[in-house]
Amino acid sequence: MFMAFVVSLACAFGPQQSHHLHLYMHDFAAGPNVSTIRVGVAHDTGPLLGGSKLWRFGDMVVMDDALTEGPGMGSRALGRAQGFYIAASSKGSDPTLHMSFDLLLTSGPYNGSTLAVTGRDNVMAPVRELSVVGGMGRFRMATGYVLMQTVEWWHGEYALLELDVYVHA
Ligand SMILES: *[C@@H]1O[C@H](CO)[C@@H](O)[C@H](O)[C@H]1NC(C)=O
């Protein structure tokens, strides 16, 4: 009885595999390619985070960022990163964000599949680790993690992020 249950589970979900995706994410706060909108704006008396004058505790941004194969915007499109981030630290010295987004793949063997990503983004750290908490399509029942680095940063108007995604699904 127990064995039958195990076997049927294995058939339902198929064999798990490890996947590594390498993506560049383009986050534009301004300009012709703008891909974010600030929907929640904290009141003026909140602490400015990291001395940046850009973020206050409670600010919230919704994004629909392009994902490409290489670092240039003209590089092959691989998908979108759709979700939001929040200035989640109440300490003025700590510019930490909370991020929550779906990586939607629109090209290659994972076309149409998504990964659900969430976690803490301490923007000052050279590498941040986020959690892959699920997915759909080829990534149903996915688990894993994302290593994220800032490659380029333009006065709060543009951030180029490099994502290494390690997934078991
Ligand atoms: C991805 O899938 C969609 C929907 O099935 C299809 O229209 C599109 O052509 C596919 N794109 C690529 C690059 O395979």
Side-chain angles (χ1 to χ4, degrees), residues 6-17:
V6 170
V7 169
S8 70
L9 259 188
C11 292
F13 297 115
Q16 289 227 323
Q17 281 179 6

Side-chain angles (χ1 to χ4, degrees), residues 19-102:
H19 309 265
H20 173 216
L21 309 180
H22 182 246
L23 311 161
Y24 289 89
M25 178 168 141
H26 305 262
D27 193 68
F28 288 93
N33 295 315
V34 64
S35 62
T36 63
I37 182 168
R38 208 172 272 229
V39 294
V41 181
H43 47 79
D44 286 349
T45 54
L48 284 164
L49 302 186
S52 67
K53 298 194 165 68
L54 291 168
W55 290 98
R56 286 180 194 276
F57 175 51
D59 284 352
M60 179 172 176
V61 171
V62 176
M63 82 222 201
D64 182 0
D65 289 348
L67 299 169
T68 58
E69 188 171 51
M73 264 305 277
S75 170
R76 186 158 81 103
L78 295 183
R80 313 290 300 182
Q82 299 172 328
F84 64 86
Y85 47 92
I86 304 171
S89 167
S90 62
K91 290 210 182 75
S93 57
D94 175 16
T96 293
L97 308 178
H98 169 79
M99 301 193 87
S100 179
F101 56 92
D102 297 306

Side-chain angles (χ1 to χ4, degrees), residues 106-108 111:
T106 57
S107 165
N111 185 15

